[in-house]
Every structure is written in structure tokens, then in C-alpha cells.
Amino acid sequence: MAMTRNTDFGPERRLAAVLAADMVGFARLIELQETALLARQKLHRTELIAPQIAANRGRIVKTSGDGMLVEFSSARDAVRCAIDIQTGMISREAGQPPDRRIQYRIGINIGDVILDDGDIFGDGVNVAARLEQLAEPGGVCISSMVHQTVTDGIAEPFRDLGRQRVKNIARPIGVWQWTADPPARPDVPAMSKQQHVQFCSSADGTQIA
């Protein structure tokens, strides 16, 4: 999928699938168990995260204390990598108390990225970061464009979250989410079953109940 454009008239650009990941509650966990947390995080990166990225042909662009940015040439590889990391984290952290478990949020987008000295920038990166913020702990949020690309190649179900407005992005973003344990639908009271909800659309196409 990656197509590179490198001309004398501007920076190098290419189409890429961008994965943004961030640890949930990093500051709180550091305060509770700094040494143990950092040791476990290092093991997770060495034994699970980095191997999964390599197996799915990704490139780690950069890491921070609580997250990372990864570039893939294939949206399917990015989504497969994300789900396998999140699934693996469940078993690896199962022995920890619930309030001390390491969990990640992951967001994935396809977009044009600008290359600069090994780093990547641009709208594709910005949207991936906003999608990550929308994900539930242990979940993966992807844009509608990513979902359309992988829907026939990924067996795991994604739930449609509709079009979301996110910080510093002018247009609403279509969002789909995967979680390891999709929430069960609650029983609907009889009175609620009789209700009829109508929808209208705003000027930009966002549905409003």
C-alpha cells in the first residue's frame, strides 16, 4: 500500500497505515509501582510488542515512556498487530491486581504522512492519535477507511461508533472499535421497545437522534 512521492518541490510523502498506542493511566501506575511497572513494560515490549510489529512488517517510528508510534505499509497488518498485542496483554497481565494492570489504547488510521529524518507527521498521524484516545482500555479504534480496507481480511468483529468529532480535526471521523470482550446488550424494558427514534443529519452529514 505504501506509495512514496519524493520530488524537488517539497518533503517526501507516502501513504501509510499509522498505529498510535498509549498506556492507560501511566502517571498513576508510575506513582504506585515505578520500578515494577517499568520492568514489566520492558518485558512486554521485548517479548510481545516488538515481535508482533516485526511479524506484521511494521516500523517503530518512535517510543515514549507510555506509548509508541508505528508505521505499516498495510492496514491489515496494522490491525492484525494491534489485536494480537491487545489479546496477548490480557494473559500477560492477568496475574496483576486490576488497578495495577498495564493496558494500552490503540488507534489506527490510513493517511498521507510526511517523512522527516525517520519521523512521520501529517493528518494521517494526527487522526491515529485521536482514535487512540477514543479507544477503551485494551481496545482498538480504527477509522472507517481502515475498516473498509480490512473488513474481509480480519475475522474479529468491530463495533460502529459512528462519526466522532475529535480535537483539532475539522471534519468528523468515522470510528470502529474492537474490544476483547464486547459488552453484552442489556435487556430492554418493554416501554423502551415501544419508543421510536428518528434521526436527522447536520450540514456535514453527522447523524443526530
Side-chain angles (χ1 to χ4, degrees):
M1 184 185 71
M3 295 183 295
T4 301
R5 299 195 303 276
N6 188 8
T7 72
D8 296 332
F9 303 102
E12 181 181 349
R13 296 173 179 267
R14 67 180 174 221
L15 185 66
V18 180
L19 181 155
D22 194 60
M23 188 188 299
V24 179
F26 179 70
R28 179 185 64 83
L29 291 173
I30 277 287
E31 185 176 4
L32 288 174
Q33 46 173 344
E34 179 176 358
T35 303
L37 176 78
L38 295 176
R40 293 207 322 275
Q41 182 189 32
K42 183 176 181 180
L43 279 177
H44 294 328
R45 285 187 174 180
T46 302
E47 298 177 355
L48 172 67
I49 298 172
Q52 283 295 339
I53 291 171
N56 287 283
R57 296 167 287 279
R59 178 180 75 90
I60 298 176
V61 177
K62 58 186 173 184
T63 62
S64 60
D66 59 345
M68 64 174 53
L69 188 67
V70 187
E71 178 189 17
F72 296 83
S73 61
S74 160
R76 185 181 299 183
D77 286 345
V79 173
R80 179 76 273 150
C81 180
I83 292 176
D84 288 348
I85 286 173
Q86 296 290 49
T87 303
M89 285 298 299
I90 294 172
S91 58
R92 292 177 68 91
E93 286 287 301
Q96 299 296 323
D99 65 337
R100 297 188 176 223
R101 288 175 186 164
I102 294 176
Q103 291 182 296
Y104 294 99
R105 293 186 176 96
I106 297 178
I108 301 172
N109 182 46
I110 297 174
D112 212 29
V113 299
I114 301 170
L115 281 72
D116 183 13
D117 195 24
D119 206 346
I120 57 175
F121 303 91
D123 186 69
V125 178
N126 296 339
V127 172
R130 298 310 178 197
L131 290 168
E132 173 265 306
Q133 295 171 354
L134 293 174
E136 294 182 15
V140 179
C141 274
I142 63 176
S143 65
S144 289
M145 187 178 298
V146 172
H147 186 261
Q148 292 169 9
T149 303
V150 306
T151 187
D152 293 330
I154 299 292
E156 289 83 353
F158 280 77
R159 181 164 56 98
D160 187 0
L161 300 186
R163 300 177 75 183
Q164 303 285 330
R165 289 196 173 276
V166 295
K167 183 178 179 182
N168 295 332
I169 304 294
R171 67 191 184 282
I173 305 297
V175 182
W176 293 74
Q177 178 167 243
W178 171 89
T179 54
D181 298 304
R185 293 192 176 189
D187 293 334
V188 180
M191 184 175 294
S192 297
K193 293 179 181 178
Q194 299 172 6
Q195 294 180 350
H196 297 279
V197 180
Q198 293 181 323
F199 293 86
C200 63
S201 297
S202 63
D204 62 7
T206 302
Q207 287 193 330
I208 303 173

